[in-house]
Amino acid sequence: MATGKHLVEQILLDEHGHSLDPDLEAIRREHKQHLLKKTQNLVEHSPPGTTLKPQEFFINERYVSLIVVSTDEFRQRPQNELIQTGIKHEKCLKETKTRLEHIFPNKLFRWSHQSQSVPHALMVSGVPGIGKTTLMQKFVYDWVTGKHYQRFNFVFFFRFRDFNRLGEVSLEDMILHQYPYLESQIGNIFEDPEGLLFIFDGLDESVHQMYFRSSKLSNHKVKECFGEIVASLVRQSLLKGCSILITSRPTRLASIDTGVFQRITEIMGFFHRDRLIYFKNYFGNKELSEKAFQYVQENDTLYTFCYIPSYCWIICTVLSMCFRAQLTITDQMMTSLPKTVTQLFVTFVANILANHHQNKDGVHTAQELLTSIGWMAEYGVMNHIIVFDRHHLDSFCVRNDNYLSSCFILESGRPPEVDYIFLHLTLQEFFAALVHFIDYFPDKLQKSLNEAESSKDGRAEIFLQFLCGLSDSSTRSMLKSHVGELSTQAARDVVTWIQGKIAKPQEGKRALLNMCYCLKESRNKPLVLQCIGSRKTFELYNVPLSPIDCSVLSFILESCEKIEKLSLKKCRIPAEGVRKLLPALRSIKILR
C-alpha cells in the first residue's frame, strides 16, 4: 500500500479526469501532504497521572465505525444529552435496518431524502465524546488518500473554539493563517468554489452568534465577524457553490435555525459489536479485554454508556488501572470494581491522585486543586460553559502549571490565545458535584440544587446523579486518603433534597424516573424504601422506556416489595427491557 508522499502523488486528477492547472496541482499536492500528516494517526491519551506517553496508531488500524443517521430530533431536549441519546440508541440499532437512513462517511454529500437534493450545507450532531472530531479526521484522511470526494480540490478544516477571541477577519485571512503555504494560489483557489469544502468542528464551543437565516457577505477579502463568515458560506452568498460541513452538540442546535442545512445527521455511537472491538484494541490482550468487556456487559449502567467512545476510554482506563494494581485477576477483585457511574469517576480520579502522590506533593495540593477546578466546573455547568479561558482560571485560582491539573484539564490553542476544557464533559459535571463535598457551604449547595431542579433542558441531570452518588459513604471513602474526609453534612443535605423532591407532585413525564436514577446512584436501599417503599402503586405514563430505564426501574421494584400495582401504559418497552424487568415482577399483583 502506498503511503505518505507517494500516496498523495497517486491522486492528481479531479473527479472529471482532467488535470488541474499545474500550479494549482502542485499546491493541492502540498495541501494534501500537510493534511495527511495531520490525519493519518489517531492519538490515544495515556491514563492521566501516569508517566506513560500517549500512543499513536495508524488511523485505519484503530478507527472503529460509528453509527450516523439522518435526524431532526434535537429540537426538544428535555433530558440530559447522554441519557436522551442512550434512550434513542437502542431504538436506532433496530431502525437503521429499516426506517432510519444509515449514512456512511462517503455518502454524506450524496442525495438527501430529507431535503430532496444533493446537500451543500451539512450538519453532523452528537453528544460530547461521541466521536465528531474523530469522524471528521477520518473523513479528511479518506479525502487525502483518494478514497472519496475527489470532486473537492481543497478541504479546509477549522475548529470553532480557535476563533473565540478573533475580531473581524476575512475568509482569506482565516485560510492563510492556518494554511500559509496557499498564499501564492489563494486567488486561483477561490475561482472554483464548487471544488471547495469547509469543515467547522464544534459549533457548541463557539461564543459567536450564528444567524443562518441572514447573510450579506459576498467578498472573501472583506473583514467581518467570524459568525457572519460561516453564515454566509452556509447561505451561499459567499463562494456560491462551495460545500460546508459543521459539527455540534445537539443542545446548541436547538437554539439556532437549522432549516438552511440540506442534511442533518446525528452520530449515535457504537453498535454492540464495535464496543467489543474497542475493548480489544485498547487492551491488546485477549484475556484482559474479554474479562473487562464481560464485567461491563453485566453492569447495565456502564454498558449502556459504552455507546460513547470516550466513555469506553474512561471505563477501559479505570479497569486497566485496577488490573495493573493486582498481580492476578481474582473473582474478589472483579467484585470490587465500580458498580455505578459515580463510582466509575471516583475510581478514575482516585487512581490519578494515587499515581500523582507517589512522586509529587501531598494531600493538601490535591485537595486545593480539586476545590479550585471544582468551583470552576460548577460555574460552567450552571452557566452552559464548557470552554474556559485564562480569566476563568484566574477567577477560580486554578493553576494550569500544576502537573495534576493537566490530568483533568486540556489546553487548546497557542499563547496568548489558549482555551481550557475538561478531559470530558461528564468529568466536569463530576467535579462540579464533588466540590460540594470537599468545600461544603450549605447555601451554595442549596442554590445549586434549586438551579439544577429548575433546569428545563436536562443539562443538570448527570450533575444531580453525581451528587446523589456521592451521598453514599462507601463511595466517598474511596477518595478519603487523597483529599481527606468529605462532608457528611453535604450528604445529609442531598438526602434531604431527594426526600423532599419525591414527596412533591412530579412535574414532567420523566421526573419520577429521573429520581429513580438518583436513588440507584445513591446505593441507599433504606432511602429507596423511605421514599417509594410505602407506595402500593408505581405509575409511569407515556414514557418510552429503554433497557437501561428498565434496569433502574427493576432496582426500585426489587427494593420496594410493598408495590403491588405497576402501571406502564404507553411506555413502549423493547424486548430487552422486558427481560430486565421480569425478575422484579414477582411481587407485582396488577401489571398494566
Side-chain angles (χ1 to χ4, degrees), residues 418-589:
V418 179
D419 289 320
Y420 304 88
I421 57 172
F422 281 86
L423 189 63
H424 190 279
L425 174 61
T426 313
L427 186 64
Q428 178 182 338
E429 293 169 313
F430 172 76
F431 282 134
L434 178 64
V435 73
H436 288 287
F437 292 83
I438 295 177
D439 191 26
Y440 171 65
F441 291 96
D443 293 344
K444 284 186 177 181
L445 176 56
Q446 193 57 53
K447 181 183 177 185
S448 294
L449 285 167
N450 292 340
E451 287 185 16
E453 186 179 347
S454 62
S455 169
K456 301 299 182 186
D457 58 6
R459 62 187 162 90
E461 282 181 29
I462 299 290
F463 166 71
L464 288 173
Q465 288 180 29
F466 279 138
L467 284 175
C468 296
L470 288 166
S471 71
D472 173 47
S473 59
S474 63
T475 300
R476 292 198 309 277
S477 68
M478 298 162 69
L479 286 169
K480 183 178 179 180
S481 62
H482 306 298
V483 296
E485 192 78 50
L486 297 182
S487 173
T488 54
Q489 186 57 51
R492 285 193 284 268
D493 289 354
V494 171
V495 168
T496 301
W497 173 79
I498 295 174
Q499 293 167 332
K501 176 75 173 170
I502 292 184
K504 296 177 187 175
Q506 299 297 309
E507 295 181 9
K509 293 189 296 183
R510 280 188 62 92
L512 178 58
L513 187 59
N514 289 339
M515 292 311 300
C516 291
Y517 270 86
C518 289
L519 287 169
K520 187 177 182 186
E521 278 295 310
S522 76
R523 304 178 76 244
N524 189 337
K525 286 202 173 185
L527 179 62
V528 177
L529 284 170
Q530 184 183 351
C531 292
I532 296 179
S534 61
R535 301 185 182 199
K536 293 201 171 182
T537 299
F538 189 98
E539 181 176 3
L540 294 173
Y541 180 77
N542 197 22
V543 180
L545 296 177
S546 70
I548 185 63
D549 292 332
C550 293
S551 179
V552 170
L553 185 54
S554 181
F555 166 80
I556 297 296
L557 295 175
E558 287 180 324
S559 302
C560 305
E561 295 181 355
K562 288 187 178 180
I563 296 177
E564 297 179 349
K565 179 181 176 182
L566 177 64
S567 179
L568 303 173
K569 291 180 180 178
K570 296 188 177 181
C571 286
R572 300 187 290 282
I573 307 172
E576 185 182 348
V578 174
R579 284 194 294 273
K580 293 184 184 301
L581 271 178
L582 281 176
L585 299 181
R586 289 189 296 268
S587 60
I588 301 298
K589 294 179 180 177

Side-chain angles (χ1 to χ4, degrees), residues 298-312:
E298 291 170 355
N299 185 307
D300 290 330
T301 303
L302 299 185
Y303 183 68
T304 297
F305 276 116
C306 272
Y307 75 87
I308 303 172
S310 64
Y311 256 95
C312 278

Side-chain angles (χ1 to χ4, degrees), residues 246-279:
I246 294 176
T247 74
S248 177
R249 285 171 57 192
T251 47
R252 181 69 186 263
L253 300 190
S255 62
I256 65 173
D257 190 339
T258 56
V260 294
F261 294 92
Q262 292 81 45
R263 168 169 278 145
I264 300 171
T265 65
E266 182 163 4
I267 303 175
M268 301 303 297
F270 287 150
F271 278 116
H272 291 292
R273 64 177 181 273
D274 297 322
R275 302 179 198 189
L276 178 57
I277 292 172
Y278 187 98
F279 273 65

